[in-house]
Amino acid sequence: MAKLGETLRMAREQRQLTLEDAERTTLIRQKILSAFEEENVAQLPPFVYARGLLKIYAEYLNLDANEMVRLLEQTYDLPKRYGVIPATKRISTNSPFTPALFVTIIILLGLSLLLLYLYQEYSSFVSSSGGVGTSATQPSGTVTSVAVLPTATPTATPWPSPTATPTPYPGVTIEAKIVDRTWLRVIVDGVMVFQGILEPGMTMTWAGKDKVFIRTGNAGGVEITHNGKKRGLMGSRGEVLDREWTRAQPAEGQP
C-alpha cells in the first residue's frame, strides 16, 4: 500500500524539485512540507488545516489531491482517534399547538382587535357629531336650531423637491488570463476568495469595492486586465510576486 510521505517525496524528486522550490511556489513552509514527506504528525497542524495545505502541495506535484488526503487520514489515524458518533434519535412531541392552529389563533385575535377598534371609533364619531346640521326636539315640544360648524379649507402641501441619486463608485475588477501553469492566492477587500493552481487557457475574474490583491508563484504566467484596461503579464516566469490593484492605478503591496 502506498504511503503518503513516500508518494510525495518520489513525485518531488522525479520533477527534480527541492523543498526550497516547493516552498517558494506554494508558500508552504519547508517544515510543514518535510513533515508531510516524513509523515511526522507531531510537526503538522490540526487535521482540518493540514488537509488544505496537503491539497495545495499535491496539486503542485500533479498528484491526486483526494487520494493524498485519504492517505493523510490514515497517517492521523482519524477512525481510532475519534470513533463513530451515533446519530441522535429525534425526540417527537405530541403537542396540540400545531403551526396551523397557531396561525388561526393569531388571525382570530387580530380580527377581534380590529372589530373592537372600529366599534370604539364609531362610538366616538356618534358622540362628537350627533345632531350637527339638524334640528333637535326638546321634551317641551319647542324646536331649537343647532348651528352647523364650519369646516376648514384644506391647504395644498407642496411636493418635496427631488434629490439627485449619488453615482456609485465603479469599484475594481481584475481579469486574470492564465498563459502558463501557476499558483494563485486572491484577496478581495480583505477576504481571501481563491487559492489554488490554474492551468493555461483558464480565465478568472474578481470584482471588489476597494481593492484586489493577488499573490502568484509564476508571475509570467498571468496576464492582467484592470477595469477593462490590459496591463500585460504580472512579471517574469517563475517569479513569486505580490500585486494589488485599486480603483486608481495598480500598486504593489501586502494584503
Side-chain angles (χ1 to χ4, degrees):
M1 179 182 295
K3 292 186 176 182
L4 174 64
E6 181 181 354
T7 303
L8 294 173
R9 184 172 55 258
M10 290 180 61
R12 176 176 58 79
E13 292 176 351
Q14 286 177 358
R15 297 185 61 187
Q16 298 182 352
L17 297 170
T18 64
L19 291 175
E20 290 82 359
D21 295 331
E23 180 186 39
R24 184 167 51 252
T25 301
T26 63
L27 302 182
I28 302 174
R29 292 182 301 169
Q30 291 187 43
K31 178 181 178 181
I32 302 298
L33 298 176
S34 177
F36 279 135
E37 295 188 358
E38 296 174 1
E39 298 183 16
N40 188 352
V41 176
Q43 295 297 322
L44 290 175
F47 177 77
V48 65
Y49 301 108
R51 177 177 57 187
L53 296 175
L54 179 60
K55 283 187 175 181
I56 296 175
Y57 191 30
E59 291 173 354
Y60 170 70
L61 297 176
N62 290 329
L63 295 173
D64 186 341
N66 292 329
E67 176 63 19
M68 295 301 100
V69 170
R70 187 185 65 81
L71 294 177
L72 181 66
E73 292 175 351
Q74 296 178 358
T75 303
Y76 272 79
D77 199 12
L78 294 182
K80 292 182 179 179
R81 181 178 298 183
Y82 297 107
V84 178
I85 302 175
T88 302
K89 184 178 180 181
R90 186 177 180 180
I91 300 175
S92 61
T93 59
N94 296 322
S95 174
F97 293 99
T98 62
L101 179 59
F102 179 78
V103 172
T104 302
I105 294 175
I106 293 298
I107 293 174
L108 292 176
L109 181 59
L111 290 175
S112 300
L113 293 176
L114 177 60
L115 291 175
L116 179 59
Y117 170 79
L118 293 176
Y119 176 77
Q120 291 176 345
E121 289 294 313
Y122 175 77
S123 300
S124 176
F125 174 78
V126 171
S127 300
S128 61
S129 62
V132 176
T134 64
S135 297
T137 303
Q138 300 297 326
S140 61
T142 60
V143 178
T144 303
S145 298
V146 180
V148 178
L149 297 176
T151 58
T153 302
T155 58
T157 302
W159 289 93
S161 301
T163 57
T165 302
T167 303
Y169 286 96
V172 54
T173 301
I174 295 298
E175 178 183 289
K177 181 179 180 181
I178 308 304
V179 298
D180 193 11
R181 190 172 190 267
T182 184
W183 176 89
L184 288 183
R185 174 183 294 165
V186 183
I187 299 176
V188 177
D189 292 335
V191 179
M192 187 175 73
V193 297
F194 176 81
Q195 177 172 283
I197 296 177
L198 299 176
E199 301 294 339
M202 300 178 67
T203 300
M204 305 290 288
T205 302
W206 298 279
K209 179 181 178 183
D210 297 315
K211 60 184 178 180
V212 175
F213 170 87
I214 294 180
R215 171 176 291 174
T216 176
N218 180 11
V222 186
E223 189 176 89
I224 294 296
T225 299
H226 172 217
N227 283 356
K229 184 175 181 180
K230 292 186 177 181
R231 301 293 186 181
L233 296 176
M234 286 184 64
S236 304
R237 185 175 184 181
E239 180 183 7
V240 178
L241 184 66
D242 294 351
R243 189 169 289 273
E244 182 179 279
W245 293 267
T246 63
R247 290 191 295 264
Q249 294 297 322
E252 296 183 4
Q254 295 297 327

